[in-house]
Amino acid sequence: MLRRFLYIVLFVCVAIGCYYGMSRASATPITQIKDIRYFASKDYVRVVIDLVSLTKFKKGELKDSKKIYFDIEHASVLNFMKRQVDVDNSIVKRIRVGQFDKETVRVVVDLDNYEDYKIFTLINPDRLVVDIYGVREAAPAEKDSIDKPADAPAATAGAANEPPVTSVTKEAAITKEPIKEPEVVKEPEVVKEAAKPAKELAKAPEPEKTHEKITEKIPETDRTTEKTHEVVKPPIETGRHKTKSARQSEPMITRKTIVIDPGHGGHDPGALSKNGLKEKDVVLDISQQLARLLREKYYFDVHMTRSDDQFISLDERTAIANGKRADLFVSIHANANNSPTIKGIETYFLNFSNSDEAMRVAARENAISMKQMKEVQSDLGLILASLARESKRDESLHLAHYIQKSLISKVGKKHRGVTDHGVKQALFYVLVGASMPAALVEISYITNPTEERLLSTDEYKELLAGAIAYGINKYISSLPDSPQYARASAHKK
């Protein structure tokens, strides 16, 4: 009897121990904060929070004290991680990170003069991305040199030589800011009304003059600011019918700003041909020629995300375009396929896709699996819905059509049998977060023997660059403010 009683007591103790052990295990954080990076320009900052794995988070805003914060659940800060970085530009003062409680990490962004912010998650590596926009001032600007390596946004105000990617550097305690019913962010639901069906978008008619974008009129260039528009005065008539007041009221003309993004680079070669031709080298050659044509022939203000063989993260590429206040963003890539018979040209814009082929191409460029590609679409539902509301998706579709049509037309005149894969939509990380119309061009298949041979020649690369430049110019010429740019171009010539 006593022995049975002892067995029962022992069983109860073991059960209680297991229960508490499981409870403690369930309370153990499942992710960690690895690093915090940022990319900053005069009126835009992108903050990237690197995680071991994605988990739920809450976001909150304290307008009175100019702070936004993110409570990352079931998370801890790595022991070696510093707790503060000083950004100290016109938008963000500092970013602080600390253990809010046993299972929650709080990231606080101390702000100065901001207008809006957007947040989304990306995978491989898992990260939380926050885009913060300052209040834009109608101020004159300085033209930056296109020949700067990487051409990235300045990392800090007053520290021109500091790298654009910055890790948290100072120890600082995080105060427990009062929480005002923060919003719980899980997997955002896809807003079905925000995106048209793939077939309807892909068959959309080519645009004529349907845009409603207005070009800001900017006074003479002030060489102390960072905005990338350049101002040109149109020729002034000197005849007797041109009065002094009329000459003084002549409007200023600004140039469109375009960011060209050569894909891959550095330790990331991109797709490889059977004979060792690297995508990163081909697209850099084409992008450099494209930038030259857009500047010299069409009189645009052009910047490149990289101007040599260096690695630029996908997070940084659109951050560069946003920081430059670009009017267009065009990413240049070469396609690849396991079948060497597949060839052709296609152009993409950012949107949902149910096409296995489109998702395969995007997964390769995003360096993730097809399974991850399908999962991440729902995570970015709110971002894609925002694109639809702001008309950026439709403008990107129009841009893609102009580029694709120009490529097929001009390449087809010199090379028979060019395959037109048309305009497609897919979720490319490099286009996520762009605040302007954006397109990604897959110029040819580097894995096809015929197109590999062509991509090895200067003639074909020049042909591709000229066709893309022509398509971009045709798109810009379709905008309501195009006469101003035509006048500016004619004046330069």
Side-chain angles (χ1 to χ4, degrees):
M1 189 71 171
L2 179 61
R3 181 177 295 178
R4 180 180 297 178
F5 175 76
L6 290 175
Y7 279 134
I8 293 173
V9 171
L10 180 62
F11 176 78
V12 171
C13 290
V14 171
I16 292 174
C18 290
Y19 172 79
Y20 280 107
M22 293 174 63
S23 298
R24 289 178 61 84
S26 64
T28 301
I30 61 173
T31 191
Q32 292 176 321
I33 310 297
K34 296 194 299 183
D35 197 9
I36 292 185
R37 302 171 284 136
Y38 75 88
F39 313 96
S41 65
K42 182 174 180 290
D43 52 14
Y44 165 82
V45 177
R46 169 168 286 184
V47 178
V48 181
I49 304 168
D50 290 312
L51 304 167
V52 171
S53 60
L54 290 177
T55 184
K56 296 178 183 178
F57 65 90
K58 300 175 183 178
K59 63 180 180 178
E61 184 175 2
L62 303 169
K63 292 187 177 179
D64 293 341
S65 55
K66 294 184 178 179
K67 302 177 192 295
I68 57 176
Y69 61 88
F70 308 93
D71 286 343
I72 302 171
E73 300 179 2
H74 308 300
S76 66
V77 179
L78 290 175
N79 293 332
F80 64 82
M81 185 178 177
K82 304 300 181 182
R83 305 300 176 93
Q84 176 174 310
V85 59
D86 294 320
V87 181
D88 199 23
N89 74 345
S90 60
I91 307 171
V92 178
K93 294 180 179 178
R94 68 187 64 86
I95 306 163
R96 295 176 290 139
V97 59
Q99 199 73 40
F100 185 69
D101 59 35
K102 291 182 179 179
E103 297 186 28
T104 307
V105 169
R106 170 165 288 186
V107 179
V108 179
V109 183
D110 296 322
L111 301 167
D112 188 8
N113 184 29
Y114 80 104
E115 187 175 78
D116 190 20
Y117 71 95
K118 296 178 181 178
I119 180 170
F120 54 92
T121 58
L122 295 174
I123 62 174
N124 195 31
D126 293 334
R127 57 210 187 269
L128 186 66
V129 183
V130 187
D131 284 341
I132 306 170
Y133 300 89
V135 178
R136 292 193 175 187
E137 299 176 0
E142 176 182 5
K143 180 180 179 295
D144 293 330
S145 171
I146 186 175
D147 296 323
K148 284 184 181 180
D151 215 354
T156 61
N161 296 323
E162 186 173 334
V165 181
T166 308
S167 297
V168 180
T169 56
K170 293 183 180 179
E171 292 287 346
I174 292 265
T175 57
K176 294 191 176 184
E177 313 284 358
I179 300 177
K180 297 184 178 180
E181 299 182 359
E183 177 183 350
V184 178
V185 180
K186 301 180 181 178
E187 293 187 356
E189 295 182 1
V190 176
V191 182
K192 295 181 180 179
E193 295 80 2
K196 298 178 182 178
K199 292 183 179 179
E200 182 180 347
L201 281 169
K203 294 180 179 179
E206 293 184 12
E208 293 302 325
K209 298 185 178 181
T210 58
H211 299 265
E212 297 181 356
K213 187 173 182 180
I214 300 176
T215 303
E216 55 182 329
K217 306 300 186 296
I218 303 175
E220 277 290 354
T221 301
D222 177 357
R223 296 294 176 183
T224 64
T225 61
E226 295 184 6
K227 189 173 185 301
T228 57
H229 288 294
E230 181 173 314
V231 176
V232 180
K233 288 184 178 180
I236 299 176
E237 296 180 19
T238 57
R240 60 183 180 180
H241 298 296
K242 195 74 172 180
T243 64
K244 182 179 181 180
S245 60
R247 290 196 301 270
Q248 290 176 341
S249 63
E250 195 71 57
M252 298 297 155
I253 298 172
T254 58
R255 298 197 295 170
K256 289 290 189 187
T257 299
I258 300 170
V259 170
I260 302 300
D261 172 49
H264 308 281
H267 67 263
D268 175 15
L272 300 174
S273 75
K274 184 178 180 179
N275 296 314
L277 189 63
K278 298 177 182 178
E279 178 183 359
K280 68 173 184 177
D281 298 330
V282 172
V283 299
L284 180 60
D285 287 346
I286 294 170
S287 297
Q288 289 173 331
Q289 294 180 52
L290 172 60
R292 178 182 57 80
L293 285 171
L294 290 171
R295 286 200 315 271
E296 297 177 1
K297 184 175 182 179
Y298 298 107
Y299 196 46
F300 296 124
D301 186 16
V302 185
H303 302 268
M304 293 174 65
T305 56
R306 67 179 182 97
S307 56
D308 55 19
D309 184 19
Q310 62 177 302
F311 175 76
I312 305 292
S313 70
L314 296 178
D315 302 322
E316 189 176 357
R317 293 172 189 260
T318 45
I320 291 171
N322 290 343
K324 296 293 183 184
R325 293 193 192 180
D327 297 291
L328 295 179
F329 177 79
V330 179
S331 190
I332 309 297
H333 292 258
N335 218 331
N337 196 287
N338 291 331
S339 172
T341 61
I342 302 298
K343 63 177 183 176
I345 298 170
E346 56 203 59
T347 306
Y348 287 85
F349 66 101
L350 182 67
N351 200 36
F352 298 102
S353 176
N354 293 320
S355 164
D356 286 342
E357 178 60 20
M359 283 194 286
R360 182 196 64 78
V361 175
R364 181 178 63 81
E365 300 293 2
N366 296 341
I368 61 176
S369 67
M370 275 290 284
K371 180 181 178 182
Q372 291 172 318
M373 191 72 238
K374 293 176 181 178
E375 291 173 351
V376 80
Q377 284 203 138
S378 61
D379 293 336
L380 287 173
L382 295 180
I383 291 294
L384 297 177
S386 176
L387 282 176
R389 287 194 301 270
E390 297 169 3
S391 298
K392 293 297 187 297
R393 185 198 64 200
D394 292 338
E395 291 179 23
S396 297
L397 169 64
H398 296 156
L399 170 64
H401 269 294
Y402 278 114
I403 293 174
Q404 180 70 13
K405 180 179 179 181
S406 177
L407 278 166
I408 298 303
S409 173
K410 292 188 177 299
V411 173
K413 287 180 180 179
K414 291 199 172 184
H415 300 277
R416 292 184 179 181
V418 60
T419 303
D420 181 5
H421 289 297
V423 171
K424 300 181 179 180
Q425 54 193 32
L427 201 159
F428 288 91
Y429 281 179
V430 73
L431 302 181
V432 173
S435 59
M436 70 292 299
L440 184 145
V441 187
E442 296 282 1
I443 49 171
S444 292
Y445 277 78
I446 201 170
T447 49
N448 176 268
T450 301
E451 294 190 341
E452 176 199 9
R453 186 168 58 254
L454 289 172
L455 288 171
S456 301
T457 66
D458 291 338
E459 178 188 2
Y460 189 66
K461 287 183 283 189
E462 290 172 5
L463 178 62
L464 291 171
I468 296 170
Y470 183 83
I472 290 173
N473 184 62
K474 287 288 287 184
Y475 167 77
I476 291 176
S477 298
S478 73
L479 302 177
D481 52 14
S482 60
Q484 293 189 37
Y485 296 97
R487 290 170 59 198
S489 182
H491 176 51
K492 179 180 183 285
K493 295 174 183 178

